[in-house]
Amino acid sequence: MNPSSSFVATRDQALSVFNHPFSQSHSFLVSNFKNGSFLSPINTHTRRPKTHTSFTTPKRFQPITGCLGERNTPAKALRQILESPGAHQGPACFDGLSAKLVERAGFQYCFTSGFSISAARLGLPDTGFISYGEMVDQGQQITQAVSIPVIGDGDNGYGNAMNVKRTVKGYIRAGFAGIILEDQVSPKACGHTQGRKVVSREEAVMRIKAAVDARKESGSDIVIVARTDSRQALSLEESLWRSRAFADAGADVLFIDALSSKEEMKAFCEVSPLVPKMANMLEGGGKTPILSPLELEEIGYKLVAYPLSLIGVSIRAMQDSLTALNGGRIPPPGSMPSFEEIKEILGFNNYYEEEKRYATSKYQLYADREGSNAYSIQRVRDDSEQRGQSPQDPVVEVITPDVYTKYGADGSRDPFSGIWSRTLRIKITGRDGFEKLDVRVPAGFLEGITNIVPALGGVNLKALLDDAAEEVGGKVLLDFNDTMGDRIQVFLE
């Protein structure tokens, strides 16, 4: 570990730390390093002795403002994670949204995945197509979207040692807490795919030395993760030798990709025992066995990457949604968040609250941002000047479906008149026999029904409802199979 992760405090400063209400915690792990200064732990050892702790669900960091006046950078926050006990999980993101979801889930940090960014940004395989500029641009969007530390995939540095220095400095400016650099030749590719080739020992070590020099020249403490792909390209013995050499060159974390057994993973963790190790749990059929965080901690790992979980489930979810749309229906409600949930995740509600601080005109039209729907009409009027009074709360006039349905189909005010008092039940059963959808909507809102099941757009539901309006009890209005073989039923209740 770089000694810069610790600092020397005066006696008064140290006493103020121990008197701080949070000082009972074993460490101060923070995520919001964008505002103000934060309290950093006082480390008495460069490395903590290995401890065995029970793994718990990751908890989101809380920002702490300390009395020492030292600003906590992304790299410092990541170094605090490396100094804390246990094996720490880090999902791999590929854009600002996926990074936000990682942070909201409570993870302490995340990775960027060149594999996933190449897929999401270019729609191309991770075989060297994506460039340094594209990775830096995507990375900056990711680091600006979250407050947790982000470790960037720096591939092979995009060239020789001089290119490596430029890459490291670019990643520092982009806000990364760490950078992963590997020893593959160009064009590089995913370490678990065929045909891996690596540069010579001398050039591989020189890349790490160049990265260390770039960090020093930038006045940064970015965490350098040195990766070797020589296990698949050459041999286990070669990958262990390169790992030792990377540690001697100044790497902060060591990483051998595509180790093929638990025994190989143990042998790796015995190399340079004072330098943290990173494990890559490639989901869905990689070369490395998938182990639990507790097993990985027992072996000796500190960081655990999950490179494909987010991009993998995203691909499958989009495929399922497109299959549903192609079959004439929208995805089932349970397969996607509500519109309100999406707005909350993206920060709409926070935006609206902050927007109020900068309002300048007293004549304003406010949309109903909490529960808008196609049948709501809002009119906001401030007539305080006409009354010669000081501005007061605006007069609001609202028409909603609840008000509208007080009138019957014939215009009467009988709330139970005609079809408006009835309910439509829409049920979709897959060709495999499993229920995909079962919802109830007011029978009067035909447009809403076609929004739920677009396949009903060509059906004259109004005529069916008019015919059944006077019937008592339930009735089957429609029962047919769509083009995907799913059974669609519409009942009037």
Side-chain angles (χ1 to χ4, degrees), residues 432-485:
D432 54 4
F434 290 98
E435 182 179 286
K436 293 187 174 181
L437 182 69
D438 192 350
V439 297
R440 289 173 171 81
V441 297
F445 298 107
L446 300 182
E447 294 181 5
I449 296 171
T450 55
N451 287 336
I452 297 174
V453 185
L456 298 177
V459 179
N460 190 347
L461 289 173
K462 187 176 185 305
L464 295 174
L465 291 173
D466 290 341
D467 293 341
E470 303 302 323
E471 296 188 20
V472 179
K475 179 181 179 181
V476 179
L477 297 182
L478 290 171
D479 190 345
F480 67 96
N481 292 339
D482 66 6
T483 58
M484 301 300 295

Side-chain angles (χ1 to χ4, degrees), residues 9-25 28 39-40 42 64-68:
T10 65
R11 177 180 179 275
D12 292 338
Q13 288 173 330
L15 288 175
S16 65
V17 172
F18 289 115
N19 290 330
H20 193 280
F22 294 94
S23 64
Q24 299 303 316
S25 174
F28 301 115
L39 186 63
S40 298
I42 297 180
I64 303 173
T65 301
C67 55
L68 301 183

Side-chain angles (χ1 to χ4, degrees), residues 404-421:
Y404 185 63
T405 54
K406 291 181 181 178
Y407 297 87
D410 57 358
S412 67
R413 288 190 61 87
D414 178 6
F416 301 101
S417 173
I419 205 63
W420 294 97
S421 63

Side-chain angles (χ1 to χ4, degrees), residues 109-168:
Y109 72 103
C110 65
F111 294 90
T112 64
S113 163
F115 185 102
S116 300
I117 292 176
S118 181
R121 181 166 174 138
L122 305 181
L124 292 173
D126 180 24
T127 53
F129 284 114
I130 199 158
S131 67
Y132 159 77
E134 289 167 318
M135 290 293 287
V136 168
D137 178 67
Q138 195 82 355
Q140 189 168 17
Q141 295 178 29
I142 290 170
T143 61
Q144 291 180 354
V146 296
S147 59
I148 58 175
V150 183
I151 301 175
D153 186 349
D155 292 325
N156 57 5
Y158 308 100
N160 61 15
M162 296 303 293
N163 293 100
V164 169
K165 292 184 70 173
R166 177 174 182 257
T167 298
V168 171

